[in-house]
Amino acid sequence: MIGSRCVVGFVRAAAISIAPFFIVFSAGLDANGSDSSPIAVHAEGIEEAERLGNLVYRKDQAAWAATDYFLDNENISSDPDVAGWVSEIIDGKTVRVSFLAIESNRLVVRYAVDVEKGNVRTKTAKVLKPGAQLTNRQRLMSNARAFASNTDFMRCSPRYNTVVIPHEGTTFYVYLLAAMQKSNEIVIGGHHRFLIDAEIISKVGDVVDHIVEQRAFTTRCLTLRPPPNISASALTGAVVSHVTAPYPEEPHILASLIHNMEISVVAGGALWMVKDGEIELSEMIE
């Protein structure tokens, strides 16, 4: 793991190039004739970061849209029994968000709605009283979310959003995402990913036993704030350094999509560009 110092900056015009600030090298073939460029060396990890980053964005935006819908139409905030939510991709393009509630000392689904491309499909909205029994998958996802959220981790925000993504079998990725405190902020640091075995939760009491993997994407908190009188929407890009991996990861995909901007990441001796849910190698640097 590299040190915790971060390079940050903003770009206000797409025509501005940051290349002159770096010494540029060419990446080619190594002595064995293999492609030694970072994009080739880390191809598998980059592809997985793109896949997961786009899924995190879809589920995060769906949860926001569903929450806003039920706040406006059912005043869900006044329901004292609500205890979190789970989101599931049901047909490749639709995310079903189910809000859970405690009834007679058990979790049930009380509110549910489908979201497609960030838009609530209002005809699918359901209010279930009494609530519906959780499916086994929903039960496991809820367990994974609860245990990750109650684990010790570096907190960079008083509020964290969660996204749960199935991995293999009964294991799930749980993303703990540091939430923006102001609409003008771009949160880069403070995000975490857990790999949780949700089935073990039912059998073993120790939380540690459920954690297959735990990692922070940065070693410090990092929130970018535009200069005074400039909104985040007026920016076309941001430049940051990455300190825990040699290429951009899910949080950079997420930030780029949320703020509709290009995120330039200095990592692993290279300058990377993150835009439209994809990671591209720009150039090698010193």
Side-chain angles (χ1 to χ4, degrees):
M1 183 178 292
I2 308 173
S4 61
R5 186 176 179 181
C6 290
V7 177
V8 299
F10 289 106
V11 179
R12 293 193 62 193
I16 297 177
S17 172
I18 60 175
F21 294 98
F22 302 99
I23 300 175
V24 181
F25 296 89
S26 61
L29 303 180
D30 60 20
N32 298 319
S34 301
D35 189 347
S36 60
S37 67
I39 199 75
V41 172
H42 303 296
E44 185 175 341
I46 291 169
E47 182 178 352
E48 184 71 346
E50 289 179 338
R51 182 185 74 84
L52 290 171
N54 279 277
L55 278 174
V56 168
Y57 173 73
R58 285 182 63 192
K59 288 197 161 196
D60 181 61
Q61 294 302 291
W64 273 107
T67 300
D68 287 346
Y69 173 81
F70 283 118
L71 283 173
D72 292 340
N73 293 275
E74 299 294 337
N75 195 19
I76 193 174
S77 62
S78 66
D79 188 334
D81 299 328
V82 170
W85 71 91
V86 294
S87 59
E88 304 166 274
I89 296 178
I90 59 173
D91 60 8
K93 60 181 181 180
T94 303
V95 180
R96 178 165 297 160
V97 182
S98 301
F99 292 89
L100 312 182
I102 300 173
E103 289 182 5
S104 302
N105 295 318
R106 67 187 183 99
L107 274 179
V108 296
V109 175
R110 178 166 292 177
Y111 307 90
V113 70
D114 293 349
V115 180
E116 186 174 331
K117 295 182 179 179
N119 298 312
V120 171
R121 294 168 56 184
T122 57
K123 291 184 178 180
T124 68
K126 297 178 181 178
V127 178
L128 305 169
K129 294 183 179 180
Q133 181 177 340
L134 272 64
T135 65
N136 187 58
R137 184 180 182 133
Q138 290 172 333
R139 177 183 64 83
L140 293 174
M141 293 178 74
S142 176
N143 285 346
R145 175 181 179 273
F147 275 89
S149 299
N150 286 287
T151 302
D152 289 334
F153 60 92
M154 178 183 68
R155 293 182 179 270
C156 296
S157 172
R159 183 170 58 85
Y160 268 76
N161 300 319
T162 59
V163 173
V164 181
I165 295 177
H167 179 53
E168 296 176 351
T170 59
T171 60
F172 295 82
Y173 283 124
V174 181
Y175 289 83
L176 301 183
L177 307 171
M180 294 183 293
Q181 297 307 296
K182 298 179 180 179
S183 60
N184 215 31
E185 295 179 340
I186 302 173
V187 181
I188 298 293
H191 304 308
H192 302 262
R193 186 182 75 193
F194 292 77
L195 182 58
I196 302 288
D197 189 328
E199 191 59 61
I200 293 179
I201 292 171
S202 303
K203 303 173 182 177
V204 183
D206 191 349
V207 173
V208 177
D209 290 332
H210 316 318
I211 301 174
V212 179
E213 174 189 290
Q214 175 181 351
R215 63 180 299 255
F217 288 104
T218 60
T219 58
R220 60 183 292 182
C221 301
L222 176 61
T223 298
L224 305 183
R225 297 178 176 87
N229 303 320
I230 298 178
S231 67
S233 61
L235 302 171
T236 61
V239 185
V240 301
S241 68
H242 195 281
V243 295
T244 61
Y247 50 83
E249 295 188 277
E250 294 95 296
H252 301 109
I253 295 280
L254 180 64
S256 176
L257 290 171
I258 287 176
H259 299 284
N260 190 31
M261 67 167 56
E262 185 176 271
I263 305 291
S264 301
V265 182
V266 181
L271 177 65
W272 305 82
M273 300 298 178
V274 181
K275 179 68 174 175
D276 297 328
E278 297 182 350
I279 298 169
E280 294 184 358
L281 175 65
S282 178
E283 54 204 19
M284 300 299 295
I285 61 176
E286 182 178 62

